[in-house]
Amino acid sequence: MTADATPALVEERKPAAGPRARRRSAYPRYLAGKVAGAAVSLLAVLVTSFFLFRLIPGDPVKTMTGGRQVSAEQLAAYREEFGLDLPLWRQFTDYCGKALTGDFGTSYQFRAPVVDKITEALPNTLLLTGTAFVLYTALGIFLGTRSAWRRGGLGDRINTGLALTLYSIPSFWLGLLLIIVLSVGIGPLPGMFPTGGMESGGKEGFAYVLDVAHHLVLPVVTLVAVEYGQTLLVTRSALLDEMGSDYLTTARAKGLRDDLVRRRHAVPNALLPTVTLIFINLGRTVAGVILVETVFSWPGLGGLFYQALSVPDLPLVQGLFFVFAAAVIVMNTLADLVYPLLDPRVAR
Amino acid sequence: MTTTTETGPGPGPRALARQRRRASVARFWRQYRTERAGLYGLTALALCALLALFAPLFVGSDVSSVTDAPGRPMQSPSAGFPLGTDQFGRDLLGLVIWGSRVSLLVGLLAAVLSVAIGTLIGVTAGHFKGWYATVMMRITDWFLVMPTLVLAIALATVMSRSLTTTVVAIGVTTWPTTARLVRAQTLAVETRPYIERAKALGGGHWHIMSRHVLPNVMPLVLAQTTLIISSAILAEATLAFLGLGDPTVVSWGGLLQDAREAGAVSAGDWWYLVPPGIAIAVVALAFTLCGRAVESVLNPRLGVSR
């Protein structure tokens, strides 16, 4: 925003309508390109998810039966049931064909369609990540802005130091500690929060909502603690880049109050790069939730992934791998699509 | 930083080059010293490295033996066992010190592998234009959008449990950022006139990449390595915690998994969990601080703002 930040622009806060209208025509092409790119990436993920999990040494059927004595006929029957008797290329075309219609096969351990297990767990993950996402984004932007505005001060040093420290802490360790301190309780400290799960059972209506919220506290705190740092650092750095700009000097020279300059001029412009990060973070959180859900036995996609890994339940691992990767790709594409609407210079 | 090792008689071109290099290292160190956080990081790292290197002197290699453990199971910290004991009665202080060897080694190796792949792809994609660069950058972009942790977990799941697996799983999933950075730097270096001169004198691709581009990209690569080690150590701990590491060796992440499986969490045995986690956090933070300090010395504007 520095290049064409003339005093005229400062008055309007948004870039003038002229260039925006001219460039809008470039947007459909840009959009088509990004969507096509995302489609190719998704296909590539599908292909990878098939071949990656064929690398596995050993016989998936043996894994499935877990070393029990099984007759040759039964093994053959299992092979046929899961389509493992077909040649590799047939398995591949079958897999892709079915995946495109939303069928990811049958889970070895649950004997249920992978899609059913995923759709069952998805809302729980969305609840957890959604809550955490809103909180850590707000916290990161708020603290990042304050930090940049008083750069080098004590508050800034504490903020960045704390963010970097929390960023270096393994999320699962923080979760385990929170469980010990706040759920199990240490010394005189009583346990205040449930150790895991999403509900205590037997609750209805409003009591149920409260119960779920109670279970939600610790996993959300863990996710926010490990994720807000990056938003903070990026917001801070974007704002610092912005702060030398002439238009801010102009705004101050007009006699605007300091916090007005910050809120109305600097922050909106500095948030542009942060928007990209926010979307990318959203995709990353979906993947990062694996550990937090495992630690808190949250019945979401991450917890399911852990259960699938320990068997390993290949169709389920495969399906979840696809979902996690797709989430990131979709979020990145959304970031690409939203960005030029905020900053029209991008879509050229 | 480059490969010159011979000593020519008198101040030949090599001696001159060496002098220049020594001067630039000295200048780098002078600027690095002004970064307080970077010095804290470096000190912490030096201490950890010494502890890991000389661990065999004060911790026997039988520290991880389950059969002749010195203490009773799950003792809280005491004079005999400053950090308490685990479910087999093993000394946790010894285990944490011993675990530093694997955690640091895997972190270093994975970061080196990751940066090596990234540098190779970045330099070649920046040097050769045309279809090769296009294909390489497409692959890089694709790896970049993949969730690193999920891909590493998937790789570690399908391969057999060993340290090599962990190193490979982390190394082949974290290189794309390096490749992007190195390529950008390579493109910038390649526009400089002396590259033109080297080409005119008949310098081949290999000569230009290894003698002219690589030395100029090295500082960036160094900063990137320091930053990646930190995430590699976290990734190693994560994989070990998910039970995807080598079960026969002691590492910090593995200790945390042991603690969880032994029921330390529900029993409130905090002393089992706290030390390995702090060790991971301290080392990861130290590498991050060093990386940021190196970055801000090499690129002052970037360093301050990030």
Side-chain angles (χ1 to χ4, degrees):
Chain A
M1 281 322 261
T2 47
D4 53 6
T6 56
L9 278 180
V10 176
E11 310 263 284
E12 297 173 350
R13 202 152 62 91
K14 283 179 188 150
R20 169 176 276 197
R22 210 173 338 114
R23 276 173 203 136
R24 180 154 286 166
S25 58
Y27 190 65
R29 255 191 73 192
Y30 173 85
L31 185 131
K34 290 292 173 190
V35 171
V40 171
S41 290
L42 282 175
L43 270 181
V45 169
L46 193 65
V47 174
T48 320
S49 70
F50 177 81
F51 284 104
L52 189 58
F53 296 104
R54 298 293 137 153
L55 286 174
I56 198 160
D59 189 340
V61 176
K62 291 242 170 68
T63 322
M64 197 163 50
T65 52
R68 276 181 284 122
Q69 281 292 337
V70 189
S71 69
E73 291 86 64
Q74 264 177 307
L75 278 180
Y78 278 136
R79 284 222 169 74
E80 216 188 304
E81 187 186 338
F82 291 102
L84 293 166
D85 53 339
L86 300 169
L88 193 64
W89 66 270
R90 270 294 307 276
Q91 290 187 35
F92 177 64
T93 48
D94 281 3
Y95 175 74
C96 289
K98 282 184 179 162
L100 289 178
T101 59
D103 178 3
F104 280 92
T106 309
S107 152
Y108 291 164
Q109 54 178 333
F110 297 108
R111 291 305 171 93
V114 166
V115 181
D116 290 0
K117 295 303 289 183
I118 290 179
T119 42
E120 213 173 275
L122 186 64
N124 302 343
T125 291
L126 289 182
L127 175 67
L128 176 58
T129 48
T131 316
F133 170 75
V134 171
L135 290 177
Y136 75 67
T137 304
L139 190 68
I141 291 179
F142 175 70
L143 291 178
T145 316
R146 285 176 58 106
S147 224
W149 211 250
R150 305 201 188 287
R151 170 176 39 160
L154 184 66
D156 178 29
R157 286 208 302 269
I158 292 177
N159 258 336
T160 17
L162 192 64
L164 279 175
T165 309
L166 285 171
Y167 193 57
S168 309
I169 287 180
S171 58
F172 54 91
W173 181 65
L174 187 63
L176 293 174
L177 281 193
L178 285 177
I179 292 181
I180 286 199
V181 176
L182 295 175
S183 300
V184 179
I186 281 189
L189 205 68
M192 284 175 283
F193 293 98
T195 49
M198 201 174 106
E199 50 168 325
S200 322
K203 298 257 170 63
E204 300 250 332
F206 189 61
Y208 174 78
V209 175
L210 274 184
D211 186 40
V212 171
H214 194 209
H215 283 77
L216 201 57
V217 173
L218 291 187
V220 164
V221 167
T222 312
L223 271 178
V224 170
V226 294
E227 296 284 355
Y228 88 94
Q230 200 176 6
T231 317
L232 186 155
L233 292 176
V234 171
T235 310
R236 177 177 178 273
S237 109
L239 198 54
L240 284 183
D241 278 350
E242 217 44 46
M243 271 168 50
S245 306
D246 295 337
Y247 74 95
L248 288 185
T249 318
T250 315
R252 277 205 201 87
K254 284 200 311 195
L256 282 184
R257 266 184 300 127
D258 198 46
D259 66 313
L260 260 181
V261 175
R262 178 177 59 186
R263 281 210 320 270
R264 302 283 301 277
H265 295 292
V267 174
N269 281 325
L271 280 187
L272 286 176
T274 316
V275 168
T276 322
L277 178 88
I278 286 173
F279 277 99
I280 291 172
N281 266 350
L282 194 53
R284 247 168 33 102
T285 320
V286 176
V289 84
I290 295 170
L291 289 155
V292 173
E293 286 189 359
T294 301
V295 166
F296 288 98
S297 4
W298 188 263
L301 293 177
L304 195 62
F305 197 46
Y306 181 68
Q307 283 178 356
L309 288 179
S310 39
V311 175
D313 184 346
L314 285 191
L316 194 52
V317 177
Q318 224 168 18
L320 285 166
F321 175 79
F322 184 76
V323 170
F324 286 130
V328 178
I329 291 173
V330 169
M331 286 305 157
N332 280 325
T333 312
L334 278 181
D336 284 341
L337 296 187
V338 170
Y339 202 63
L341 298 180
L342 302 172
D343 185 355
R345 285 171 300 168
V346 175
R348 268 174 291 176
Chain B
M1 270 181 223
T2 45
T3 51
T4 327
T5 44
E6 300 165 38
T7 348
R14 291 196 169 190
L16 273 178
R18 215 171 46 241
Q19 242 170 32
R20 231 182 3 244
R21 212 149 34 232
R22 211 178 301 131
S24 77
V25 168
R27 194 167 57 238
F28 174 81
W29 174 237
R30 258 202 317 281
Q31 283 174 4
Y32 187 92
R33 270 191 319 197
T34 60
E35 301 277 334
R36 193 134 42 103
L39 281 185
Y40 289 146
L42 202 60
T43 315
L45 283 186
L47 287 178
C48 286
L50 285 178
L51 211 57
L53 275 177
F54 295 109
L57 293 182
F58 36 84
V59 183
S61 61
D62 58 341
V63 69
S64 55
S65 157
V66 181
T67 44
D68 44 34
R72 282 176 295 109
M74 294 293 197
Q75 279 177 275
S76 50
S78 60
F81 302 103
L83 296 182
T85 61
D86 71 354
Q87 72 272 34
F88 304 110
R90 299 183 293 182
D91 177 23
L92 273 173
L93 178 63
L95 284 173
V96 169
I97 294 177
W98 199 249
S100 68
R101 295 168 73 88
V102 167
S103 294
L104 288 176
L105 185 72
V106 170
L108 280 174
L109 289 180
V112 167
L113 178 66
S114 159
V115 172
I117 301 177
T119 310
L120 181 72
I121 292 190
V123 168
T124 51
H127 179 80
F128 299 106
K129 319 238 155 29
W131 67 268
Y132 174 82
T134 315
V135 171
M136 281 303 146
M137 289 333 282
R138 277 263 97 180
I139 296 178
T140 310
D141 283 345
W142 188 78
F143 267 96
L144 206 59
V145 297
M146 288 295 286
T148 311
L149 182 62
V150 179
L151 195 58
I153 290 176
L155 274 175
T157 313
V158 297
M159 296 193 283
S160 56
R161 309 263 181 279
S162 73
L163 287 187
T164 324
T165 300
T166 311
V167 169
V168 170
I170 300 171
V172 301
T173 50
T174 50
W175 58 267
T177 32
T178 315
R180 290 288 286 265
L181 278 172
V182 168
R183 176 170 174 266
Q185 182 76 3
T186 304
L187 287 175
V189 171
E190 293 246 344
T191 59
R192 293 181 194 167
Y194 63 81
I195 301 278
E196 196 68 27
R197 171 185 165 274
K199 272 186 196 149
L201 289 175
H205 293 302
W206 172 246
H207 173 83
I208 289 176
M209 281 190 286
S210 64
R211 285 308 173 91
H212 296 295
V213 176
L214 200 57
N216 280 300
V217 180
M218 268 332 263
L220 183 79
V221 168
L222 178 73
Q224 187 65 8
T225 312
T226 336
L227 287 172
I228 284 191
I229 296 175
S230 148
S231 47
I233 284 175
L234 282 170
E236 189 274 332
T238 305
L239 290 180
F241 177 72
L242 290 174
L244 299 170
D246 185 342
T248 60
V249 297
V250 181
S251 77
W252 292 333
L255 281 175
L256 288 173
Q257 192 215 7
D258 287 350
R260 187 165 181 254
E261 297 217 315
V265 180
S266 45
D269 299 335
W270 55 270
W271 66 86
Y272 198 162
L273 284 162
V274 171
I278 289 185
I280 296 169
V282 165
V283 172
L285 182 62
F287 273 111
T288 308
L289 292 180
C290 288
R292 284 167 59 95
V294 172
E295 229 181 17
S296 81
V297 169
L298 298 176
N299 188 346
R301 191 176 164 276
L302 202 78
V304 171
S305 58
R306 275 170 76 176

